[in-house]
Amino acid sequence: MFQPEILSLLDEYPPLPTRSRLMPMKPMNDTLPIQESLSSYFVRLARKHSCSPMTLLRNEVLAWTKIKYSREASSRFTSNYIRTMNGVSFYAKELAEALNNLTGQSELDRCSFLPLTEVLDPRGNGLLHHRPHWCSECFRDWRASGNEPYFPLIWMAAPVKFCKTHQCTLSDMCPHCGQAQPFLPKHSYLDHCSHCGKWLSTSTITYLKNIDDFSLYQYDSIEEMIVNGWRCSSLLNSSSFINSIKVVAGELYNGSIYEMERELGFPKGTIANWSKSNVSPSLPNLLSFSYSLGVSPLEFITLLDNQHIHPNIVMDHRKQASKRKGLSVDEFSLVKSVLDSVISSGISEKSVQSIARDLGHTVTLLRYWFKEECQAISRLYKEYKNSCRVKNEQKDIDVVKDIFKRLTDKKSKITNRILQNELSFHGVILSRPHVLAAVEEERKKRLLL
């Protein structure tokens, strides 16, 4: 018998969840600093489907992207391009979006550095390691506690070369066969070698007694980007970055970006290009810049803690910028007087490099502090070299004329061999264009006689 109350009970059932083509697996530790990377997530997803990562990529995922793939270029794809899925590139965007659609997830872009796309170099220079790095102690701890091993995103960042938890360096070679690991291994076990199949954890671990301040700063800053970058994604854009540069330059360097570059030790024009939005900094440059100001990259871009910006003028972590030699007042006056005297003479028989060598300075230093003077000396030196060239060419032409006159007076034949021997005796090369032109002209004169 039909019972209407049964229909009312059916209305109380919850709706069916949204179905996905692939297993709706969540990333490991997606709210912690050791959040899983996108490549690691992809390998574990392949394991859930009992197939190799490349099989899952070719047969399922690539069809949902705009990535052009061919079997002929598969080696280059897996070795060079697939690693950028953890960065800010086209591959990261396409694969994160495809995996979101296939797994029913919505925030897999956090497994890469995509939240920082607008403030980092789009080419990803200095952003990612060229091959996977891992901490053997972490693998050992995870296996001992029954947790599935994975590769955190922070291990993928090129500036990170150690594990902060265990104070040891990261490994990048199999301890058994000595091979580097691909980002998409042949099997789906992340803590086992893709070549020999043995466990990647090793007992030979290099522990670090003292980690320098800049290395710790890099680790903490990248950790902060991973955890909080997506939370302030609306502020992580080029406009906020440019505005922060102008604000700091106005407050600390009288509005002069070039003065900021000089004080912080950056090559001239580097920060100026960033402030014009035509160039974005690489991750190493962004870290060096924010460290020089005494704040984290996120604090600088979002101006969360602008009142505590105190520049670190001594920057031992920078190789090229921190070691540019300065000039005292007396040295500056001496160099300028030498350069001005050369310019006032109207001729320079020495190049800028020779003058710098005589003064005991590098040519880079002279061009940095005396740009206009160096350009003027370079022009004078070029004019001097051109005048010397013209004089030398005229000497060669006079030698040719003298040889033809002497041989003509003797009524001798002037064959190419005789002419070559005569010119070689005087140190003149026949194959030079001005010499050939002079020889041709003299032969024409002789025919007219």
Side-chain angles (χ1 to χ4, degrees), residues 341-386:
S341 64
V342 173
I343 295 172
S344 61
S345 66
I347 189 171
S348 177
E349 298 182 1
K350 292 185 177 181
S351 63
V352 177
Q353 289 85 348
S354 299
I355 295 174
R357 195 181 306 113
D358 294 342
L359 292 171
H361 298 295
T362 63
V363 66
T364 304
L365 183 140
L366 259 63
R367 285 175 175 165
Y368 182 80
W369 293 102
F370 307 97
K371 181 179 179 181
E372 295 181 358
E373 290 85 347
C374 289
Q375 290 177 347
I377 292 175
S378 295
R379 286 194 296 270
L380 293 176
Y381 181 68
K382 186 176 181 180
E383 292 174 359
Y384 167 74
K385 294 295 290 185
N386 285 335

Short mmCIF file of all heavy atoms in Angstrom, two decimals, residues 341-386:
data_model
loop_
_atom_site.label_atom_id
_atom_site.label_comp_id
_atom_site.label_asym_id
_atom_site.label_seq_id
_atom_site.Cartn_x
_atom_site.Cartn_y
_atom_site.Cartn_z
N SER A 341 91.36 65.43 -16.73
CA SER A 341 92.56 65.83 -17.47
C SER A 341 92.67 65.10 -18.81
O SER A 341 93.08 65.67 -19.82
CB SER A 341 93.82 65.59 -16.63
OG SER A 341 93.99 64.20 -16.38
N VAL A 342 92.29 63.84 -18.82
CA VAL A 342 92.31 63.07 -20.07
C VAL A 342 91.29 63.65 -21.04
O VAL A 342 91.57 63.82 -22.25
CB VAL A 342 92.01 61.58 -19.79
CG1 VAL A 342 91.85 60.81 -21.10
CG2 VAL A 342 93.12 60.95 -18.96
N ILE A 343 90.10 63.99 -20.53
CA ILE A 343 89.05 64.53 -21.41
C ILE A 343 89.45 65.89 -21.94
O ILE A 343 89.23 66.21 -23.13
CB ILE A 343 87.72 64.60 -20.63
CG1 ILE A 343 87.24 63.19 -20.25
CG2 ILE A 343 86.65 65.31 -21.45
CD1 ILE A 343 86.05 63.16 -19.34
N SER A 344 90.03 66.75 -21.08
CA SER A 344 90.41 68.10 -21.50
C SER A 344 91.53 68.10 -22.55
O SER A 344 91.65 69.03 -23.34
CB SER A 344 90.84 68.93 -20.29
OG SER A 344 91.98 68.33 -19.66
N SER A 345 92.36 67.05 -22.55
CA SER A 345 93.44 66.97 -23.54
C SER A 345 92.93 66.72 -24.95
O SER A 345 93.64 66.95 -25.93
CB SER A 345 94.43 65.87 -23.15
OG SER A 345 93.82 64.58 -23.23
N GLY A 346 91.70 66.25 -25.06
CA GLY A 346 91.10 66.04 -26.37
C GLY A 346 91.53 64.77 -27.06
O GLY A 346 91.12 64.50 -28.19
N ILE A 347 92.35 63.98 -26.43
CA ILE A 347 92.79 62.71 -27.00
C ILE A 347 93.11 61.74 -25.86
O ILE A 347 93.57 62.16 -24.79
CB ILE A 347 94.02 62.89 -27.91
CG1 ILE A 347 94.33 61.59 -28.66
CG2 ILE A 347 95.22 63.37 -27.11
CD1 ILE A 347 95.39 61.76 -29.73
N SER A 348 92.84 60.47 -26.09
CA SER A 348 93.13 59.45 -25.07
C SER A 348 93.82 58.28 -25.74
O SER A 348 93.22 57.57 -26.56
CB SER A 348 91.84 59.00 -24.38
OG SER A 348 92.12 57.96 -23.45
N GLU A 349 95.10 58.13 -25.40
CA GLU A 349 95.84 57.00 -25.95
C GLU A 349 95.64 55.73 -25.13
O GLU A 349 96.19 54.68 -25.48
CB GLU A 349 97.33 57.35 -26.00
CG GLU A 349 97.64 58.53 -26.92
CD GLU A 349 99.11 58.83 -26.99
OE1 GLU A 349 99.89 58.09 -26.34
OE2 GLU A 349 99.51 59.78 -27.70
N LYS A 350 94.91 55.82 -24.04
CA LYS A 350 94.63 54.67 -23.19
C LYS A 350 93.14 54.44 -23.11
O LYS A 350 92.34 55.39 -23.09
CB LYS A 350 95.20 54.87 -21.78
CG LYS A 350 96.72 54.88 -21.71
CD LYS A 350 97.18 54.97 -20.27
CE LYS A 350 98.69 54.91 -20.17
NZ LYS A 350 99.15 54.98 -18.75
N SER A 351 92.75 53.18 -23.00
CA SER A 351 91.34 52.83 -22.83
C SER A 351 90.94 53.02 -21.37
O SER A 351 91.79 53.23 -20.49
CB SER A 351 91.10 51.38 -23.25
OG SER A 351 91.84 50.51 -22.40
N VAL A 352 89.63 52.94 -21.11
CA VAL A 352 89.14 53.04 -19.72
C VAL A 352 89.72 51.91 -18.88
O VAL A 352 90.06 52.10 -17.71
CB VAL A 352 87.61 53.01 -19.70
CG1 VAL A 352 87.09 53.04 -18.26
CG2 VAL A 352 87.03 54.18 -20.47
N GLN A 353 89.86 50.73 -19.47
CA GLN A 353 90.43 49.60 -18.74
C GLN A 353 91.86 49.89 -18.31
O GLN A 353 92.25 49.59 -17.17
CB GLN A 353 90.38 48.33 -19.61
CG GLN A 353 89.00 47.76 -19.81
CD GLN A 353 88.26 48.41 -20.96
OE1 GLN A 353 88.69 49.44 -21.49
NE2 GLN A 353 87.15 47.81 -21.36
N SER A 354 92.67 50.48 -19.21
CA SER A 354 94.06 50.79 -18.88
C SER A 354 94.16 51.87 -17.81
O SER A 354 94.98 51.79 -16.88
CB SER A 354 94.81 51.25 -20.13
OG SER A 354 94.82 50.22 -21.11
N ILE A 355 93.30 52.87 -17.90
CA ILE A 355 93.30 53.94 -16.90
C ILE A 355 92.91 53.39 -15.54
O ILE A 355 93.51 53.73 -14.51
CB ILE A 355 92.36 55.07 -17.34
CG1 ILE A 355 92.89 55.73 -18.61
CG2 ILE A 355 92.20 56.11 -16.23
CD1 ILE A 355 91.95 56.77 -19.21
N ALA A 356 91.88 52.52 -15.51
CA ALA A 356 91.46 51.92 -14.25
C ALA A 356 92.57 51.08 -13.64
O ALA A 356 92.79 51.10 -12.42
CB ALA A 356 90.20 51.06 -14.48
N ARG A 357 93.31 50.36 -14.50
CA ARG A 357 94.41 49.54 -14.02
C ARG A 357 95.52 50.41 -13.42
O ARG A 357 96.09 50.09 -12.38
CB ARG A 357 94.95 48.68 -15.15
CG ARG A 357 95.86 47.53 -14.70
CD ARG A 357 96.38 46.74 -15.88
NE ARG A 357 95.31 46.27 -16.73
CZ ARG A 357 95.11 46.69 -17.99
NH1 ARG A 357 95.92 47.59 -18.52
NH2 ARG A 357 94.12 46.21 -18.71
N ASP A 358 95.81 51.52 -14.06
CA ASP A 358 96.84 52.44 -13.56
C ASP A 358 96.44 53.06 -12.22
O ASP A 358 97.29 53.31 -11.37
CB ASP A 358 97.12 53.53 -14.58
CG ASP A 358 97.75 53.00 -15.86
OD1 ASP A 358 98.28 51.86 -15.81
OD2 ASP A 358 97.70 53.69 -16.89
N LEU A 359 95.13 53.30 -12.05
CA LEU A 359 94.64 53.91 -10.81
C LEU A 359 94.44 52.89 -9.69
O LEU A 359 94.18 53.26 -8.55
CB LEU A 359 93.32 54.64 -11.08
CG LEU A 359 93.41 55.90 -11.95
CD1 LEU A 359 92.02 56.39 -12.30
CD2 LEU A 359 94.20 56.98 -11.25
N GLY A 360 94.53 51.60 -10.03
CA GLY A 360 94.36 50.56 -9.02
C GLY A 360 92.91 50.26 -8.71
O GLY A 360 92.60 49.74 -7.62
N HIS A 361 92.00 50.55 -9.64
CA HIS A 361 90.58 50.27 -9.45
C HIS A 361 90.09 49.38 -10.60
O HIS A 361 90.78 49.21 -11.61
CB HIS A 361 89.76 51.57 -9.42
CG HIS A 361 90.11 52.48 -8.29
ND1 HIS A 361 89.92 52.15 -6.97
CD2 HIS A 361 90.67 53.73 -8.29
CE1 HIS A 361 90.31 53.15 -6.19
NE2 HIS A 361 90.79 54.11 -6.97
N THR A 362 88.90 48.84 -10.43
CA THR A 362 88.29 48.04 -11.49
C THR A 362 87.55 48.94 -12.45
O THR A 362 87.08 50.03 -12.08
CB THR A 362 87.31 47.00 -10.91
OG1 THR A 362 86.23 47.69 -10.26
CG2 THR A 362 88.00 46.09 -9.91
N VAL A 363 87.43 48.50 -13.68
CA VAL A 363 86.72 49.29 -14.68
C VAL A 363 85.24 49.38 -14.32
O VAL A 363 84.57 50.39 -14.63
CB VAL A 363 86.92 48.67 -16.08
CG1 VAL A 363 86.26 47.30 -16.17
CG2 VAL A 363 86.36 49.59 -17.16
N THR A 364 84.70 48.36 -13.64
CA THR A 364 83.29 48.40 -13.22
C THR A 364 83.07 49.53 -12.23
O THR A 364 82.05 50.25 -12.30
CB THR A 364 82.90 47.06 -12.58
OG1 THR A 364 83.16 46.01 -13.50
CG2 THR A 364 81.43 47.05 -12.22
N LEU A 365 84.01 49.72 -11.31
CA LEU A 365 83.88 50.80 -10.33
C LEU A 365 83.91 52.15 -11.01
O LEU A 365 83.11 53.04 -10.69
CB LEU A 365 84.98 50.68 -9.28
CG LEU A 365 84.94 51.69 -8.12
CD1 LEU A 365 85.30 51.03 -6.81
CD2 LEU A 365 85.90 52.86 -8.40
N LEU A 366 84.84 52.34 -11.96
CA LEU A 366 84.92 53.62 -12.65
C LEU A 366 83.65 53.91 -13.43
O LEU A 366 83.14 55.04 -13.41
CB LEU A 366 86.14 53.62 -13.59
CG LEU A 366 87.39 54.37 -13.06
CD1 LEU A 366 87.90 53.68 -11.79
CD2 LEU A 366 88.47 54.41 -14.13
N ARG A 367 83.12 52.92 -14.10
CA ARG A 367 81.91 53.14 -14.89
C ARG A 367 80.68 53.35 -14.01
O ARG A 367 79.71 53.97 -14.45
CB ARG A 367 81.69 51.95 -15.83
CG ARG A 367 82.65 51.96 -17.02
CD ARG A 367 82.52 50.73 -17.87
NE ARG A 367 83.36 50.82 -19.06
CZ ARG A 367 83.68 49.80 -19.84
NH1 ARG A 367 83.24 48.58 -19.53
NH2 ARG A 367 84.43 49.96 -20.90
N TYR A 368 80.74 52.83 -12.79
CA TYR A 368 79.60 53.00 -11.89
C TYR A 368 79.58 54.43 -11.32
O TYR A 368 78.54 55.08 -11.29
CB TYR A 368 79.69 51.98 -10.75
CG TYR A 368 78.53 52.05 -9.77
CD1 TYR A 368 77.31 51.46 -10.08
CD2 TYR A 368 78.66 52.72 -8.55
CE1 TYR A 368 76.25 51.52 -9.21
CE2 TYR A 368 77.60 52.78 -7.67
CZ TYR A 368 76.40 52.17 -8.00
OH TYR A 368 75.34 52.25 -7.13
N TRP A 369 80.75 54.92 -10.88
CA TRP A 369 80.80 56.24 -10.24
C TRP A 369 81.02 57.37 -11.23
O TRP A 369 80.66 58.53 -10.96
CB TRP A 369 81.92 56.26 -9.19
CG TRP A 369 81.67 55.36 -8.02
CD1 TRP A 369 82.21 54.13 -7.79
CD2 TRP A 369 80.80 55.62 -6.92
NE1 TRP A 369 81.74 53.60 -6.61
CE2 TRP A 369 80.86 54.50 -6.05
CE3 TRP A 369 79.96 56.68 -6.57
CZ2 TRP A 369 80.13 54.42 -4.88
CZ3 TRP A 369 79.23 56.60 -5.39
CH2 TRP A 369 79.32 55.48 -4.57
N PHE A 370 81.65 57.09 -12.39
CA PHE A 370 81.97 58.14 -13.36
C PHE A 370 81.48 57.72 -14.74
O PHE A 370 82.27 57.57 -15.68
CB PHE A 370 83.49 58.40 -13.38
CG PHE A 370 84.09 58.69 -12.04
CD1 PHE A 370 84.70 57.68 -11.31
CD2 PHE A 370 84.03 59.96 -11.49
CE1 PHE A 370 85.25 57.93 -10.07
CE2 PHE A 370 84.58 60.22 -10.25
CZ PHE A 370 85.18 59.20 -9.53
N LYS A 371 80.20 57.53 -14.86
CA LYS A 371 79.63 57.00 -16.10
C LYS A 371 79.88 57.94 -17.28
O LYS A 371 80.35 57.51 -18.34
CB LYS A 371 78.13 56.78 -15.92
CG LYS A 371 77.44 56.21 -17.14
CD LYS A 371 75.96 55.98 -16.88
CE LYS A 371 75.26 55.43 -18.12
NZ LYS A 371 73.82 55.22 -17.87
N GLU A 372 79.57 59.23 -17.13
CA GLU A 372 79.70 60.17 -18.24
C GLU A 372 81.17 60.35 -18.63
O GLU A 372 81.50 60.42 -19.82
CB GLU A 372 79.08 61.51 -17.85
CG GLU A 372 77.56 61.44 -17.64
CD GLU A 372 76.98 62.78 -17.27
OE1 GLU A 372 77.77 63.75 -17.14
OE2 GLU A 372 75.74 62.85 -17.10
N GLU A 373 82.06 60.45 -17.64
CA GLU A 373 83.47 60.60 -17.94
C GLU A 373 84.02 59.40 -18.69
O GLU A 373 84.79 59.54 -19.66
CB GLU A 373 84.28 60.81 -16.65
CG GLU A 373 84.04 62.16 -15.97
CD GLU A 373 82.84 62.15 -15.06
OE1 GLU A 373 82.05 61.18 -15.14
OE2 GLU A 373 82.67 63.09 -14.27
N CYS A 374 83.63 58.20 -18.27
CA CYS A 374 84.10 56.98 -18.94
C CYS A 374 83.59 56.91 -20.38
O CYS A 374 84.31 56.47 -21.28
CB CYS A 374 83.67 55.75 -18.15
SG CYS A 374 84.55 55.52 -16.60
N GLN A 375 82.35 57.34 -20.59
CA GLN A 375 81.82 57.35 -21.96
C GLN A 375 82.59 58.33 -22.84
O GLN A 375 82.88 58.04 -24.00
CB GLN A 375 80.34 57.71 -21.92
CG GLN A 375 79.46 56.63 -21.34
CD GLN A 375 78.00 57.05 -21.24
OE1 GLN A 375 77.67 58.22 -21.39
NE2 GLN A 375 77.13 56.08 -20.99
N ALA A 376 82.94 59.50 -22.26
CA ALA A 376 83.70 60.48 -23.04
C ALA A 376 85.09 59.96 -23.37
O ALA A 376 85.58 60.11 -24.51
CB ALA A 376 83.80 61.79 -22.25
N ILE A 377 85.74 59.32 -22.41
CA ILE A 377 87.08 58.75 -22.66
C ILE A 377 87.00 57.63 -23.68
O ILE A 377 87.89 57.48 -24.53
CB ILE A 377 87.69 58.26 -21.34
CG1 ILE A 377 88.01 59.45 -20.43
CG2 ILE A 377 88.95 57.43 -21.59
CD1 ILE A 377 88.51 59.06 -19.05
N SER A 378 85.97 56.83 -23.64
CA SER A 378 85.81 55.75 -24.63
C SER A 378 85.69 56.33 -26.03
O SER A 378 86.25 55.78 -26.99
CB SER A 378 84.57 54.92 -24.29
OG SER A 378 84.74 54.24 -23.06
N ARG A 379 84.97 57.45 -26.17
CA ARG A 379 84.84 58.09 -27.49
C ARG A 379 86.20 58.62 -27.96
O ARG A 379 86.57 58.46 -29.13
CB ARG A 379 83.82 59.22 -27.43
CG ARG A 379 82.38 58.76 -27.35
CD ARG A 379 81.42 59.91 -27.62
NE ARG A 379 81.52 60.95 -26.61
CZ ARG A 379 80.80 60.97 -25.50
NH1 ARG A 379 79.91 60.00 -25.26
NH2 ARG A 379 80.93 61.96 -24.64
N LEU A 380 86.93 59.26 -27.04
CA LEU A 380 88.25 59.78 -27.42
C LEU A 380 89.21 58.66 -27.79
O LEU A 380 90.00 58.79 -28.74
CB LEU A 380 88.83 60.60 -26.25
CG LEU A 380 88.11 61.90 -25.91
CD1 LEU A 380 88.74 62.53 -24.68
CD2 LEU A 380 88.16 62.87 -27.08
N TYR A 381 89.16 57.56 -27.06
CA TYR A 381 90.04 56.43 -27.35
C TYR A 381 89.66 55.80 -28.70
O TYR A 381 90.55 55.40 -29.47
CB TYR A 381 89.94 55.39 -26.23
CG TYR A 381 90.82 54.19 -26.43
CD1 TYR A 381 92.20 54.29 -26.36
CD2 TYR A 381 90.26 52.93 -26.70
CE1 TYR A 381 93.01 53.18 -26.55
CE2 TYR A 381 91.06 51.83 -26.90
CZ TYR A 381 92.43 51.95 -26.82
OH TYR A 381 93.23 50.85 -27.00
N LYS A 382 88.39 55.76 -29.00
CA LYS A 382 87.95 55.22 -30.29
C LYS A 382 88.44 56.11 -31.43
O LYS A 382 88.89 55.61 -32.48
CB LYS A 382 86.43 55.11 -30.31
CG LYS A 382 85.87 54.44 -31.54
CD LYS A 382 84.37 54.28 -31.44
CE LYS A 382 83.82 53.58 -32.68
NZ LYS A 382 82.33 53.42 -32.60
N GLU A 383 88.36 57.44 -31.23
CA GLU A 383 88.85 58.35 -32.25
C GLU A 383 90.36 58.20 -32.44
O GLU A 383 90.87 58.25 -33.56
CB GLU A 383 88.51 59.79 -31.85
CG GLU A 383 87.02 60.08 -31.87
CD GLU A 383 86.71 61.46 -31.32
OE1 GLU A 383 87.67 62.16 -30.90
OE2 GLU A 383 85.52 61.83 -31.28
N TYR A 384 91.08 58.02 -31.32
CA TYR A 384 92.52 57.82 -31.40
C TYR A 384 92.86 56.54 -32.16
O TYR A 384 93.76 56.53 -33.02
CB TYR A 384 93.11 57.77 -29.99
CG TYR A 384 94.53 57.28 -29.93
CD1 TYR A 384 95.59 58.07 -30.35
CD2 TYR A 384 94.81 55.99 -29.45
CE1 TYR A 384 96.90 57.61 -30.30
CE2 TYR A 384 96.12 55.52 -29.40
CZ TYR A 384 97.15 56.34 -29.83
OH TYR A 384 98.44 55.87 -29.78
N LYS A 385 92.16 55.47 -31.87
CA LYS A 385 92.42 54.20 -32.56
C LYS A 385 92.09 54.32 -34.05
O LYS A 385 92.81 53.76 -34.89
CB LYS A 385 91.59 53.08 -31.93
CG LYS A 385 91.97 52.74 -30.49
CD LYS A 385 93.38 52.18 -30.40
CE LYS A 385 93.49 50.80 -30.98
NZ LYS A 385 94.83 50.20 -30.80
N ASN A 386 91.04 55.07 -34.38
CA ASN A 386 90.69 55.25 -35.79
C ASN A 386 91.77 56.05 -36.51
O ASN A 386 92.13 55.74 -37.67
CB ASN A 386 89.34 55.96 -35.92
CG ASN A 386 88.18 55.04 -35.59
OD1 ASN A 386 88.29 53.82 -35.71
ND2 ASN A 386 87.06 55.61 -35.16
#
